[in-house]
């Protein structure tokens, strides 16, 4: 093999390497664009996650306030109302019992009135 042939073969190999390097450069440039796009998307996601974290913290605060209100006010008020209803129930039971007693006495009085009316008619 002559020097010219060797140089030509070397030149051809260099052209192939040059073509591959150019192709590799294009792929790296494309990859750089994709990485830049991915960085933008990650930055956008970071902002959204930060916003969601703030909202979750706000919701946790609101839920805590609601729980405190339920424990301190609502449950206590329900107990007070329940105690009032219990008293009303007792008073109703007492009124029903008194009404029954009065009705029983009235029936006895009606019987006595009937007996006296019959005695008066007999006279």
């Amino acid at each position: 093999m002559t020097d010219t042939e060797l140089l030509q073969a070397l030149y051809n190999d260099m052209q192939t390497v040059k073509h591959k390097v150019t192709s590799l450069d294009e792929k790296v440039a494309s990859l750089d664009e994709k990485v830049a796009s991915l960085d933008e998307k990650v930055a956008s996601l970071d902002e959204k996650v930060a916003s969601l974290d703030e909202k979750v913290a706000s919701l946790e605060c609101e839920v805590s306030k609601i729980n405190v209100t339920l424990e301190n006010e609502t449950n206590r008020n329900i107990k007070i109302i329940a105690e009032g209803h219990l008293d009303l129930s007792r008073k109703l039971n007492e009124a029903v019992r008194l009404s029954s007693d009065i009705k029983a006495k009235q029936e006895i009085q009606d019987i006595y009135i009937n007996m006296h009316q019959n005695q008066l008619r007999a006279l």
Side-chain angles (χ1 to χ4, degrees):
M1 200 180 251
T2 64
D3 287 339
T4 310
E5 290 175 339
L6 280 174
L7 282 174
Q8 186 63 37
L10 186 59
Y11 178 75
N12 288 340
D13 287 343
M14 289 302 291
Q15 288 299 326
T16 304
V17 169
K18 182 180 176 184
H19 178 66
K20 288 182 180 179
V21 167
T22 304
S23 173
L24 188 59
D25 282 344
E26 290 173 359
K27 289 179 181 177
V28 168
S30 172
L31 190 58
D32 283 343
E33 290 175 9
K34 290 179 181 178
V35 168
S37 172
L38 194 59
D39 283 342
E40 290 174 5
K41 290 179 181 177
V42 167
S44 172
L45 281 174
D46 284 344
E47 291 174 7
K48 290 178 181 177
V49 167
S51 172
L52 284 174
D53 284 343
E54 290 174 9
K55 290 178 181 178
V56 166
S58 173
L59 283 174
E60 286 175 346
C61 182
E62 290 296 319
V63 167
S64 294
K65 287 179 184 177
I66 290 170
N67 283 339
V68 167
T69 301
L70 282 173
E71 290 173 6
N72 294 339
E73 294 177 22
T74 307
N75 290 344
R76 185 172 162 217
N77 291 339
I78 288 172
K79 286 179 184 177
I80 291 169
I81 291 171
E83 289 171 0
H85 280 102
L86 183 60
D87 288 341
L88 289 175
S89 176
R90 286 182 190 146
K91 288 178 182 178
L92 176 64
N93 289 339
E94 185 179 322
V96 167
R97 186 177 46 79
L98 286 174
S99 173
S100 295
D101 290 346
I102 291 171
K103 188 174 181 181
K105 286 180 183 180
Q106 184 181 7
E107 287 175 353
I108 291 172
Q109 288 174 353
D110 287 344
I111 291 171
Y112 281 126
I113 289 172
N114 282 338
M115 284 175 35
H116 288 352
Q117 281 179 351
N118 288 336
Q119 285 176 357
L120 285 174
R121 280 188 205 132
L123 289 176

